[in-house]
Amino acid sequence: MAILKPDNKTTFGGVTVNEYLLTKHNPNHIAMPSVSMEGKIIGVTVHNTAWITTVAGTTPAEQYTRATANGNMNDVRVHYYVDNTCAWQNLPHSLSGWHAADGSGNGNRRTIAIECIMSSAYNATDKKSEDNCARLAAALLKKYNLGIDHLYTHTHWLNVRDGKSGSVDYLNTARNSYKMCPLYILPHWAEFKKKVQGYMNAGSATAPTPSAPAAKQLYRVRKSWFDAKSQIGAFSSLENARRACKVGYAVFDSSGKQVYPVKKSIDEIAHEVIQGKWGNGAERKKRLTNAGYGYNEVQKRVNALMK
Ligand SMILES: [Zn+2]
């Protein structure tokens, strides 16, 4: 495929953005995300991907976009690639991406993804890419009226996925054995965050809307998150919620995530299903759903294991 031509060239937060939406251009029929993010955006997720050298007349962000359109980026779909000179937008903000490795979690489903193209050298070019990334992130947070604590790292979503809890700062930077991303920015994340905040403050007559203080965490004891009527209590202390939890019930945090008993992996559950521990037909479906597992997701894994 020849070097791509953007449909649109705009300036956003001081960064040149080339729009090339894969929803409009998909000559190779690559798989695409389909879940809407309309009205659900909670932040921006920052990634790093490796610097690549390009032929004359183009930039790494274009080349990554082209590689995606050519089906060479596996199942990575992001909203923006950004390099030292410009950004390329691949997905509309109304569509969720595939980038956070948290399945249907908030990272994939509710954040705008920026892949910042850099190298470990952290040379002048890398710093320019990082600066463009900071400008773009700031402009996006402002656009959605979100505060600086809605700036996430890829690793944040991996830590959430792995059941860690804590402040945004903690989850953004806490070591994750699967992946540390953005690899080149994480070592100075606090500094990067300050830079984004600076760009958010600059150029606006009023200070950015501070994000709402984190809602007080409440742990609810229910049969399932969706069965609000079954609730037997709501506790600010997880310990107390655990104590009140009876057989057939679970503890959910404010976002609806089951925190006790700790859920098993889809793989473990699929094996249990095969062993007959979850019954059959409608009963299986009901029991899995009540226990907080996605029936279809489990069944898909079962089918794959049975092949
Ligand atoms: Zn990443």
Side-chain angles (χ1 to χ4, degrees):
M1 203 191 275
I3 291 170
L4 302 176
K5 283 191 184 60
D7 289 327
N8 247 313
K9 220 184 213 323
T10 53
T11 304
F12 186 48
V15 182
T16 304
V17 176
N18 297 282
E19 186 192 287
Y20 187 88
L21 302 181
L22 298 167
T23 44
K24 289 187 189 163
H25 305 273
N26 190 357
N28 298 304
H29 308 286
I30 57 166
M32 284 288 289
S34 58
V35 178
S36 169
M37 272 209 317
E38 197 105 54
K40 296 185 186 160
I41 294 167
I42 56 164
V44 173
T45 299
V46 175
H47 301 260
N48 267 148
T49 193
W51 182 263
I52 42 172
T53 49
T54 61
V55 294
T58 189
T59 79
E62 185 276 335
Q63 195 156 305
Y64 269 106
T65 302
R66 187 154 30 103
T68 308
N70 280 334
N72 294 328
M73 289 302 296
N74 297 322
D75 55 359
V76 175
R77 304 286 180 270
V78 299
H79 296 88
Y80 295 94
Y81 280 103
V82 61
D83 61 33
N84 60 321
T85 59
C86 64
W88 277 69
Q89 185 180 359
N90 293 189
L91 298 176
H93 298 166
S94 57
L95 187 63
S96 61
W98 295 333
H99 55 90
D102 69 340
S104 53
N106 282 343
N108 275 339
R109 292 288 171 84
R110 301 190 66 182
T111 68
I112 296 171
I114 305 176
E115 280 278 10
C116 181
I117 306 167
M118 286 168 68
S119 78
S120 59
Y122 204 47
N123 56 30
T125 307
D126 295 323
K127 286 175 187 166
K128 196 76 197 38
S129 293
E130 183 178 306
D131 186 61
N132 280 338
C133 178
R135 289 171 186 272
L136 186 58
L140 288 166
L141 290 171
K142 269 177 89 167
K143 180 179 166 78
Y144 289 97
N145 217 4
L146 296 164
I148 190 67
D149 51 346
H150 292 261
L151 180 69
Y152 301 107
T153 67
H154 180 183
T155 289
H156 179 281
W157 302 114
L158 300 172
N159 284 330
V160 169
R161 179 195 73 179
D162 295 349
K164 288 184 202 157
S165 56
S167 68
V168 174
D169 275 335
Y170 171 76
L171 292 169
N172 272 343
T173 54
R175 167 125 216 112
N176 187 282
S177 57
Y178 175 78
K179 201 173 189 185
M180 291 304 280
C181 179
L183 184 63
Y184 311 127
I185 300 177
L186 265 174
H188 51 272
W189 180 254
E191 205 181 301
F192 177 77
K193 191 177 149 187
K194 239 182 249 165
K195 190 168 222 188
V196 174
Q197 179 73 77
Y199 286 131
M200 288 171 78
N201 295 345
S204 64
T206 54
T209 316
S211 50
K216 197 165 156 332
Q217 181 68 264
L218 266 188
Y219 297 97
R220 296 178 168 85
V221 182
R222 296 177 178 177
K223 282 185 175 163
S224 83
W225 175 247
F226 298 102
D227 186 0
K229 271 192 241 154
S230 68
Q231 184 167 311
I232 53 176
F235 305 83
S236 52
S237 142
L238 176 58
E239 215 23 66
N240 291 340
R242 265 191 203 148
R243 250 177 249 142
C245 191
K246 305 188 291 195
V247 174
Y249 286 78
V251 179
F252 301 90
D253 71 10
S254 296
S255 70
K257 182 175 176 278
Q258 183 177 322
V259 291
Y260 176 83
V262 175
K263 280 169 74 177
K264 295 176 182 171
S265 72
I266 294 303
D267 230 53
E268 276 174 88
I269 295 297
H271 280 104
E272 289 187 10
V273 164
I274 293 165
Q275 288 159 17
K277 291 185 182 169
W278 293 84
N280 286 306
E283 189 212 343
R284 179 189 293 176
K285 187 168 183 172
K286 194 173 157 208
R287 285 179 55 195
L288 285 170
T289 309
N290 283 346
Y293 296 102
Y295 172 75
N296 290 331
E297 197 183 351
V298 172
Q299 204 56 46
K300 217 170 124 187
R301 189 76 195 116
V302 168
N303 295 342
L305 288 170
M306 301 288 279
K307 258 184 205 158

